[in-house]
Amino acid sequence: MNIIAIVGLGLVAAVLSIILRQYKQEFGFYIPLIAGAIILTAIIIAIRPALETVQNLMQAAGMNNIYGQTLLKGLAVCYLTQLAVDACKDAGETAIAGKLELSGKIAVVVLSLPLFNSLTELITRLISN
């Protein structure tokens, strides 16, 4: 991952957004949204080898794959929710941003329910033995 290029893109997008807001308010919203999507895509591409390594380590350790999948899905929900919340805040829609934050938190809870179920079963087995 070339962090210098990503930071550069972010800074250029921020300056462009400030300049364009003076002339066309709607362009000041689209530039950060597009830049955020590009940065998120670059990060996803760059982190893929690390995620594959973690998955291989979990398989080698004999851990259930559901834990890693749930963790990665939760991270994806958090990052996508944060991107959408920031875009809404940039557009001045703080009420929608708040609802998106709440929906992201609820989505993470729903994603983690199978883990809680598995943990409860494990505790029940340990107590009964």
Side-chain angles (χ1 to χ4, degrees), residues 1 3 10 15 39 43 47 52 59 76 83-84 95 97 120 123 126:
M1 172 171 47
I3 191 66
V15 170
I39 290 169
I43 290 171
I47 203 167
E52 290 172 357
Q59 287 176 349
L83 178 68
T120 304
I123 291 171
L126 289 174

Side-chain angles (χ1 to χ4, degrees), residues 65-117:
N65 202 18
I66 192 170
Y67 302 120
Q69 288 178 349
T70 303
L71 176 66
L72 294 178
K73 287 178 185 178
L75 285 172
V77 167
C78 290
Y79 289 137
L80 290 175
T81 302
Q82 188 63 48
L83 178 68
V85 166
D86 290 343
C88 287
K89 286 181 180 178
D90 285 345
E93 297 294 336
T94 55
I96 295 173
K99 304 309 184 276
L100 283 173
E101 280 182 314
L102 179 62
S103 67
K105 291 172 185 176
I106 291 171
V108 170
V109 169
V110 169
L111 274 173
S112 63
L113 286 178
L115 293 179
F116 286 120
N117 189 28

Side-chain angles (χ1 to χ4, degrees), residues 1-3 6 39-51:
M1 172 171 47
N2 189 352
I3 191 66
I6 291 173
I39 290 169
L40 186 62
T41 302
I43 290 171
I44 290 171
I45 290 169
I47 203 167
R48 179 169 276 154
L51 296 177

Side-chain angles (χ1 to χ4, degrees), residues 23-59:
Y23 302 105
K24 288 274 194 178
Q25 187 70 25
E26 61 271 7
F27 289 134
F29 168 71
Y30 292 125
I31 298 293
L33 186 63
I34 293 168
I38 292 170
I39 290 169
L40 186 62
T41 302
I43 290 171
I44 290 171
I45 290 169
I47 203 167
R48 179 169 276 154
L51 296 177
E52 290 172 357
T53 301
V54 169
Q55 185 177 14
N56 291 338
L57 289 172
M58 288 180 64
Q59 287 176 349

